[in-house]
Amino acid sequence: MQYKKYKIGAMARLLGMSTEGLRYYEESGIITPKKQEDSKYRYYDVWDIHILVRARAYRRLGFSLQDVYAIINSQEDIDISQLLTEREKEIQAKIVYNINLLRRSRQIRAMYQDAQSMINQYRLEDCPGVYRINTQNKSNLISDPAVRLCAREWIEMVPFVFSSGLFPREEIEKGGEHYNLGFGIEEEYASYLKVAENEYVKYHPARLCVYTVLPSSSDVALTTARLSGALEYMQRHNLKLIDNAFSMLINFHKQADTYRNLHRVWLPVEY
């Protein structure tokens, strides 16, 4: 049976594709347009349309081009149901990831909006439970290979991971300058990300804290001494510092040659 032939431009318009997209499938061996002997043109027919629709369906389901080629050009029946079962597991994992990603995006937006009214202001609130790892003593990276390996693994988990400072209680109380920098993950994502406390990862539980938002820059770092305003707030409200403070970096940008940051800070207290 003779089928009507279509040039590449007409075929592309019919399918809503670019000519480059058609060539992409052709070069992958998924479609094989006929070449007319007396011209340089390639011609497609209705079978190519149906092959492309099926190929694009498989691609939308997440199959690689190699998989699509194997399915369409197989000389034997392939168990599509088994292939789809495997793909469904991957799709489900992506759904779970995207649900968590959406929740995290909403949290970051809410944090940023709240932070604008809390710069150098103080209030009592429960901090989130947080897992932390220290990667720096002040500006010096910790050289322990295990710490660096853990840090690399955590960086792969952004945006659930945030930059975080740790301010030792004794340094705060004596007005010292020592602090640590590293990364944190909120407790609600720990199970999903398979994060647990170990030799390097420390857990900071949710509890009553003095909360504030403090700016810093490459010229004026967020050091332990910068928490003096929180200590004054504690004195006025008869509160006692009971543990190390920690921070969460929520904004970072470069202005001219200066880096400017915004930090949420929690100091654990009791009456």
Side-chain angles (χ1 to χ4, degrees), residues 24-41:
Y24 180 64
Y25 281 99
E26 180 185 345
E27 291 167 1
S28 301
I30 292 170
I31 55 173
T32 53
K34 310 298 185 293
K35 293 184 179 179
Q36 194 162 307
E37 294 182 1
D38 58 351
S39 75
K40 62 180 180 179
Y41 295 113

Side-chain angles (χ1 to χ4, degrees), residues 49-208:
I49 294 174
H50 295 295
I51 290 172
L52 279 167
V53 169
R54 178 50 46 189
R56 294 179 76 185
Y58 288 136
R59 289 289 286 150
R60 291 284 177 88
L61 286 167
F63 289 100
S64 68
L65 273 177
Q66 292 82 359
D67 290 335
V68 175
Y69 175 86
I71 293 169
I72 289 177
N73 291 286
S74 174
Q75 300 301 309
E76 300 176 356
D77 287 337
I78 291 180
D79 187 355
I80 300 297
S81 63
Q82 180 61 35
L83 293 174
L84 287 172
T85 297
E86 294 302 316
R87 281 298 305 137
E88 286 165 15
K89 293 177 183 177
E90 296 174 17
I91 292 169
Q92 183 63 41
K94 287 183 179 180
I95 290 172
V96 172
Y97 174 80
N98 283 327
I99 288 172
N100 281 289
L101 188 64
L102 178 61
R103 180 170 61 177
R104 186 60 181 162
S105 176
R106 288 171 173 168
Q107 287 174 334
I108 293 172
R109 173 165 51 85
M111 289 175 196
Y112 184 76
Q113 291 171 342
D114 174 73
Q116 304 309 303
S117 62
M118 283 301 298
I119 297 174
N120 294 315
Q121 302 297 312
Y122 303 90
R123 73 179 182 220
L124 284 176
E125 69 171 39
D126 286 344
C127 70
V130 167
Y131 289 86
R132 284 193 75 267
I133 179 171
N134 286 328
T135 59
Q136 293 175 230
N137 290 318
K138 291 190 175 181
S139 60
N140 300 313
L141 288 171
I142 294 174
S143 60
D144 188 327
V147 172
R148 294 194 172 188
L149 175 61
C150 185
R152 287 197 298 271
E153 292 173 349
W154 277 37
I155 289 170
E156 290 297 316
M157 294 187 283
V158 293
F160 305 105
V161 171
F162 54 86
S163 297
S164 173
L166 182 74
F167 310 94
R169 173 186 172 186
E170 59 273 15
E171 289 291 313
I172 297 173
E173 291 176 333
K174 71 180 183 182
E177 290 290 328
H178 180 72
Y179 62 93
N180 297 104
L181 294 175
F183 301 106
I185 295 174
E186 290 194 49
E187 182 178 11
E188 65 179 293
Y189 298 106
S191 177
Y192 168 65
L193 298 171
K194 297 180 173 58
V195 171
E197 194 170 19
N198 58 35
E199 181 181 356
Y200 307 104
V201 177
K202 303 303 178 185
Y203 173 64
H204 299 260
R207 52 187 164 178
L208 183 67

Side-chain angles (χ1 to χ4, degrees), residues 228-240:
S228 58
L231 292 178
E232 294 172 4
Y233 178 89
M234 291 179 206
Q235 291 175 349
R236 292 197 303 271
H237 294 83
N238 297 315
L239 296 166
K240 179 182 178 182

